[in-house]
Amino acid sequence: MSGNLLELNQLSKRFPVRKGLFQRVVGHVNAVDGVDLTIGRGEIVGLAGESGSGKSTVARMIVGLLTPTEGTVTFDGEDVSKQLGTLAFKRRVQMVFQNPGSSLNPRRSVADALKVPLRVHGVPSSTWAERIRSLLEMVELPATFAQKYPHELSGGQKQRVAIARALAVQPELIVLDEPTSALDVSVQAKVIELLLRIRDELDLAYLFISHDLSLMRNFSDRVGVMYLGKLAEMGTSDDLFLRPQHPYTQGLLASIPVVSEAEEALKPTQRHLKGEIPSPANVPSGCRFRTRCPHAFDACREVAPTFHELSATHASRCHLHDPALAGSAEPTKA
Amino acid sequence: MPDDAPLLSVRDLRVSFRTFDGQADVLQGVNLDVPRGTRVGLVGESGCGKSVTMKTIMGTLATPPARVTHGQIMFDGQDLLTMPAARRNRLKGTDMSMVFQDPTTSLNPVFRVGHQMEDIVRWSDRRRGIQRNHKARKARVLEVLEMVRLADGERIYDAFPIQLSGGMRQRIIIGMALLNEPRLLIADEPGTALDVTTQDEILRLMDDLVREEGLSLLMITHNLGVVRQMTDHVYVMYAGSVVEDSPTAELFDNPSHPYTKALLACVPKLDGTATYEGIGGSLPDYTDPPAGCRFHPRCPHATDRCLTRPPAFTVRPGHTAACWLHEPEAHA
Amino acid sequence: MSLTTPRADRLRAVRRAWYRFRRNPAAVVGLAMVLLVFVVAIFAPLVAPFPEHVGGFVDFRNRHQPPSWTHPFGTDNAGRDILSRVIFGYRISLTLVVFVLGLAVPFGVLLGLLAGYYGGWVETVIMRLTDVFLAIPALVMALAITAALSPTLLNSMIALALLWWNWHTRLIYTTVASLKHEEYVEAAKVAGASDFHILFRELLPNCVSVISVKTTLDAGFVILIGAGLSFLGLGAQPPTPDLGTMVSSGANYLPEYWWGSIFPGLAILFTILGFNLLGDGLRDLLDVEVN
Ligand SMILES: Nc1ncnc2c1ncn2[C@@H]1O[C@H](COP(=O)(O)OP(=O)(O)OP(=O)(O)O)[C@@H](O)[C@H]1O
Ligand SMILES: Nc1ncnc2c1ncn2[C@@H]1O[C@H](COP(=O)(O)OP(=O)(O)OP(=O)(O)O)[C@@H](O)[C@H]1O
Ligand SMILES: [Mg+2]
Ligand SMILES: [Mg+2]
């Protein structure tokens, strides 16, 4: 497994929960709890899961906005856990944020936004104008946009600028945290097309976070499904969407609104997920999904399931895959 | 009033805004019917005028800068636009209700949920000219909390919004809209701020309620999947006018307007066959919209005909498309 | 896509802002009042009918003349034209404003930026310091300071500046504390930008609108408190034509010679009103623009 660009090893992040007048620490939120993930060169890996499952926290640790509590990050074969926030590493990993409305400074022009990474990474200022033009060209915006301010741009155009900004330092990996969730489908399609084209041209890898599972199906090579800070299931897009194994993945897929009968047929027929994600400050014992799982049985309360390798590419963290446990089990809930 | 007349019927509604760049003609003759007891969807992309349509119906559009320049909004046989303001207000608080998109901002964080809901009951009582005491009002609130499947109504009655999850808050917002026993429920992007799982639950709940209570639903959304799941009839809107309307199943089987087709093509498919063509160009500037069909600058089939605005041509019974491609003679 | 040039775009943005501003009549009136005061103060020697009446001029034959065509505001106890002295008085008021706010605003804003952005002990130290200053009523503090030093215009300006910064610190602190979580700040961090860059290039420009609104509103207050100090004899000393001093010396001859303090008083009110109307208008304007 040396060909991987990025390897996360048991990556964890705990946030203190503070309360009261003196901001006393009364507990911890295990926002990310032992995540193992690899991204190959030129690969697009998706992270799905409900709100609060820890997707953004993973992303923010990778780009150095947060420091991991535990675990290691290996980049290109080298342990970079200690240098996540350093300039040298930032040059190789960039991020595009969710909200086109706030990811550009309303008081600064497009050119200003693009100059930040150029200046920081010591690109000679004589070449900036040229670089800015070629960056804008790369994201299919006219060069005149350099002088514009964010409020003059549409959502899709802002997101293109944000992509150009990420590309400015010629990174190898870009973290895309819900890059199109604020955009219309017709605009989303164009932005996704652009991201795919850039990936092919520059051999970039993406970590792609999204709530839109249909989009994830199409855009990602491999997908991880997170639940309460842990990966529940991981596999290729086909593995996950054609043969979902974890009850959580199945529940997620069952709730996607789709636009044709053909797609309807692809959705698992299982019962819909009930209730809401528990607080990460108070994770259920055993399997953390058991409180919402239609198949939960006694063992799920006591033992935390480990990953079961279902194939070379596909793994799921569920006791149902353990013949010893699942065979004898009686569902506790009807 | 014959009972088969639609509960809500919007006819040739035109709304303009006064802006710095001049007059923005946003709504350009919207036609739309919500028959009694049906679920109708209004779908379109950001900026196409969905919220303006809805606000005009509810009478919450700020005038100025907006101005209704033309049209009728018939509710139960009466024109909302010409009736006295007092009467219209009474209808607004009793016979028609709204569900808003964002559960975090539509509840006041400093008041208990129960009190906010009771206020609504009180206002609606006042409009109806009836009086109930606190106990009767609270009973009504608890009844509605149960309707929206919130177990433990007493606890929720006394809770502050912050103590509840997004899904619970969205249920409360729906409950608030039901408190005054409306006949028409207008929902603007309900649940889009929530997870797919929670959104799914909310949509199912709304669907059940609409059926149980015999309500008519006008659902406004940009999500074609939601429309498909939730409605009987769909209106597709582009740049201020309805370009296609059809029974829901028929629309998805047989989309006819080039815009509808293009939009459907943009939706990523669960079978992994997405193409990322998108739709070239962008929504027109409402202060200087293209002549004729407003979609023609982005349309692959555009011809000179499109410089004249196409009427709604019937594609099949109950299914119309405002596009010259569907002009009857064109087929002959 | 638009084919306009950046310059034309800029011009359009300014015109659009002016269009919105103009729709708020109170703000336009405020702007006109403030401009009038500035113009009159700058060109005082040309505008004032009797520029020579400003200093120690005395003409006892004309003392306490009621308002007339020659002396629209009347004359004072030394026979000096009150209108001329009010016009020159504006010069002092505006000097006071520029000096006090010129010191207090940058200092207060800087501390607010630091406290809001860094949090932790930086925040604790700075914000507790502002609490201390906020706990003491401004005028009382100014009185104490000027009384401790000697009562001159300069000292009263220093005293006011010492009192004023903390309001701006508070304001910027809360603004920055919410802005620092904006994605563009994070994006700059991901790009590797320095704290200096984030503070002054990303955050500060987004504080400009709140700062300018607050500063405009403050200007009126500074004039008022400055006049208060002079009224109590702790600011500019006679015969300098300070508005506060004029109100106070005119007050000795109330009520018969009412014009001696009423007109300088109205002049103070005029500037305060102007700055406040303008500030409110700016607030509406800038609020909209940021969205
Ligand atoms: N700075 C922080 N301090 C404390 N808790 C935090 C912090 N950031 C995130 N969390 C918590 O960590 C958990 C995971 O949050 P995260 O933002 O990673 O979720 P997410 O999967 O990205 O959700 P979404 O889909 O809503 O973006 C949440 O419960 C959140 O409340
Ligand atoms: N107060 C206003 N002044 C000027 N123009 C307005 C005003 N309100 C709405 N508009 C314009 O009307 C058009 C339609 O807006 P509307 O809010 O109805 O869109 P929408 O279809 O609801 O979009 P979204 O999906 O983003 O909510 C927009 O182009 C908008 O610029
Ligand atoms: Mg997130
Ligand atoms: Mg809307």
Side-chain angles (χ1 to χ4, degrees), chain C residues 103-270:
Chain C
L103 281 179
V105 173
F107 183 68
V109 166
L110 178 69
L111 289 185
L113 278 172
L114 296 176
Y117 181 63
Y118 286 108
W121 66 265
V122 179
E123 172 192 323
T124 311
V125 170
I126 294 177
M127 296 323 289
R128 291 303 78 78
L129 195 64
T130 65
D131 287 346
V132 170
F133 274 87
L134 287 179
I136 306 164
L139 193 59
V140 174
M141 184 75 173
L143 280 174
I145 296 173
T146 32
L149 308 169
S150 56
T152 65
L153 183 62
L154 183 68
N155 285 340
S156 71
M157 293 200 284
I158 291 171
L160 285 180
L162 271 174
L163 287 172
W164 225 274
W165 63 268
N166 62 48
W167 294 101
H168 285 261
T169 303
R170 288 246 123 199
L171 179 71
I172 298 307
Y173 163 75
T174 48
T175 312
V176 168
S178 73
L179 284 179
K180 74 173 169 185
H181 296 296
E182 292 281 312
E183 287 177 348
Y184 58 80
V185 175
E186 309 228 301
K189 282 190 201 162
V190 170
S194 61
D195 286 356
F196 182 87
H197 172 95
I198 292 174
L199 281 171
F200 295 102
R201 296 279 162 72
E202 305 284 347
L203 292 173
L204 185 59
N206 285 286
C207 296
V208 166
S209 55
V210 282
I211 297 173
S212 43
V213 171
K214 172 98 178 111
T215 306
T216 311
L217 294 172
D218 276 357
F221 260 121
V222 170
I223 291 176
L224 184 65
I225 296 201
L229 285 179
S230 313
F231 182 86
L232 297 173
L234 294 170
Q237 299 301 313
T240 325
D242 178 274
L243 295 174
T245 318
M246 286 160 73
V247 173
S248 107
S249 49
N252 297 331
Y253 305 99
L254 285 174
E256 312 97 287
Y257 308 127
W258 52 269
W259 53 88
S261 62
I262 290 293
F263 282 111
L266 286 177
I268 295 172
L269 192 68
F270 186 81

Side-chain angles (χ1 to χ4, degrees), chain B residues 233-272:
Chain B
H233 196 97
V234 192
Y235 290 83
V236 181
M237 199 165 174
Y238 177 79
S241 60
V242 169
V243 293
E244 180 161 5
D245 84 287
S246 157
T248 305
E250 156 83 4
L251 184 96
F252 285 90
D253 288 344
N254 185 20
S256 299
H257 194 282
Y259 173 66
T260 315
K261 287 185 190 168
L263 192 61
L264 267 169
C266 290
V267 179
K269 308 293 184 307
L270 201 51
D271 50 15

Side-chain angles (χ1 to χ4, degrees), chain B residues 17 19 26 44-53 65 189 222 286:
Chain B
F17 289 88
T19 71
V26 175
E45 291 185 285
S46 188
C48 71
K50 304 184 294 293
S51 297
V52 171
T53 307
E189 308 263 4
H222 64 268
Y286 286 110

